Amino acid sequence: MRNLPLAFGLAALLATPLAAQDPAPTESENSIVVTAQRSGAPMWVIDTPSGTIILVGEIRAIPETTPWQPDRLREATAEADRVILGARPKVSPGDVLRLMFSGSKFTKLPDKTVASDYLPPQEWARLQAIGEATKDDYARQSFLLTAFQMLRKGLRFNRDTTDDASDVVRKAADKAKVPTTRAATLRGEDVLDTLAEAPPSAHVPCMIAAMDAVEAGPEIVEQRGADWRRYAIPAVMANPLEVALGKCWPWADDLLGSELRGIWVERIAEASTATGTTLAVVPLRVLAEEGGVLDQLDARGFDIGGPVWR
């Protein structure tokens, strides 16, 4: 991103007192934590010198069959002192026009190239087989669009879903007038540029991971939700669907993905100096991946309570 620094939050994180110096949480803070935990969503709690931070690990597209209790998270949100939600792109009318007039950059392979020009023979054969099974021709389509189309058609992972944690918390915070901030607001122009400028080869790992997920079968969708609910975090991270989503844009983009992760380190470091309870909804892959937010906070000596994440 042109206008966002690559090294987020290092000074704030280095200045943060270690958890060993933290006082005991107040009764009110404990009550909020307990209520939030009763929702069933995996979360981590950090006690700071002046308050408590609750990190809710979010996965998108939770199946309706996943037995979690959003109402408990709503109750906890209403009692929190502040809420932090994920980064949001700020899309202008000009960005929409740019997308309309350059749409082929996002949907088609460049010039007259075809998928077999970029793929090893065995991967091209897999793609052909999946396309033939669903009567789709993926020869000229962009690899990113192909990946998401395969996941939607082959796994139907975005069908029959329940509320995501971000939606639950956002609506509850609005209703209770709890101050809410975004981890960042990204310029739509910058976001679209990272996508338009990426060569087709950058999206090949995403498409291959999507093929792995489709070939693993639709049962991985409910398994991912069940593992999330029972706090089996390593199992969620290893689920082929979660792996595929993590290898696709924007998370796999070298610039945008690293900045999205750095943003969260900064925001949590800032929250550690605030008074009261901060409730943040963070993508699970950002929290629990190797070298992710939880690893970085743990390395700084924060006392992190919650499920094992690695």
Side-chain angles (χ1 to χ4, degrees):
M1 285 261 160
R2 296 181 178 85
N3 298 320
L4 291 175
L6 291 177
F8 277 104
L10 291 180
L13 189 58
L14 290 172
T16 302
L18 298 182
Q21 301 168 339
D22 298 346
T26 67
E27 182 177 346
S28 174
E29 290 164 358
N30 279 330
S31 175
I32 296 171
V33 169
V34 171
T35 301
Q37 289 173 331
R38 289 174 60 201
S39 71
M43 59 191 66
W44 291 265
V45 178
I46 301 172
D47 294 324
T48 73
S50 54
T52 300
I53 303 172
I54 303 172
L55 304 176
V56 181
E58 178 180 54
I59 60 169
R60 288 292 193 171
I62 304 171
E64 287 180 336
T65 54
T66 303
W68 82 295
Q69 303 296 324
D71 285 344
R72 301 292 182 262
L73 190 55
R74 292 187 183 97
E75 293 174 22
T77 301
E79 298 299 322
D81 293 287
R82 69 198 59 81
V83 161
I84 306 175
L85 298 174
R88 176 176 57 187
K90 185 178 182 180
V91 180
S92 69
D95 296 328
V96 176
L97 288 174
R98 288 180 64 224
L99 182 60
M100 291 174 60
F101 286 108
S102 62
S104 62
K105 288 184 179 180
F106 303 99
T107 61
K108 299 291 184 182
L109 294 172
D111 302 323
K112 295 182 180 181
T113 60
V114 293
S116 58
D117 294 330
Y118 302 92
L119 300 174
Q122 66 271 22
E123 302 299 348
W124 169 234
R126 291 176 70 197
L127 181 60
Q128 282 184 301
I130 292 174
E132 289 171 1
T134 57
K135 296 181 171 55
D136 291 303
D137 184 359
Y138 294 132
R140 286 278 297 127
Q141 191 166 275
S142 80
F143 293 131
L144 183 63
L145 182 60
T146 292
F148 284 118
Q149 185 173 329
M150 286 192 298
L151 292 175
R152 287 196 303 270
K153 295 186 70 171
L155 299 182
R156 297 172 61 88
F157 80 99
N158 58 340
R159 300 287 185 92
D160 302 322
T161 60
T162 186
D163 291 334
D164 294 325
S166 287
D167 297 328
V168 170
V169 170
R170 175 180 55 81
K171 293 174 183 177
D174 287 347
K175 183 177 181 180
K177 303 189 184 313
V178 177
T180 301
T181 59
R182 290 281 176 173
T185 298
L186 310 177
R187 290 202 317 159
E189 179 182 0
D190 290 337
V191 173
L192 292 177
D193 281 347
T194 65
L195 183 55
E197 294 170 3
S201 57
H203 300 301
V204 169
C206 163
M207 192 193 65
I208 291 176
M211 290 194 293
D212 292 340
V214 169
E215 290 172 351
E219 62 272 11
I220 66 172
V221 177
E222 289 198 3
Q223 186 61 54
R224 171 174 169 261
D227 288 336
W228 177 80
R229 175 58 185 85
R230 65 188 183 91
Y231 313 148
I233 306 305
V236 176
M237 297 295 286
N239 185 284
L241 173 57
E242 189 66 23
V243 170
L245 295 175
K247 286 192 175 181
C248 292
W249 184 91
W251 302 108
D253 184 88
D254 289 341
L255 185 58
L256 181 56
S258 64
E259 289 182 350
L260 288 171
R261 289 163 171 82
I263 284 166
W264 277 113
V265 174
E266 180 187 24
R267 293 297 172 259
I268 295 167
E270 291 173 350
S272 70
T273 66
T275 301
T277 301
T278 301
L279 193 152
V281 183
V282 190
L284 184 64
R285 68 176 62 93
V286 172
L287 285 172
E289 67 188 354
E290 184 177 357
V293 171
L294 289 173
D295 279 351
Q296 293 182 51
L297 295 175
D298 183 58
R300 287 296 307 149
F302 282 87
D303 185 10
I304 304 170
V308 174
W309 67 87
R310 61 176 185 273

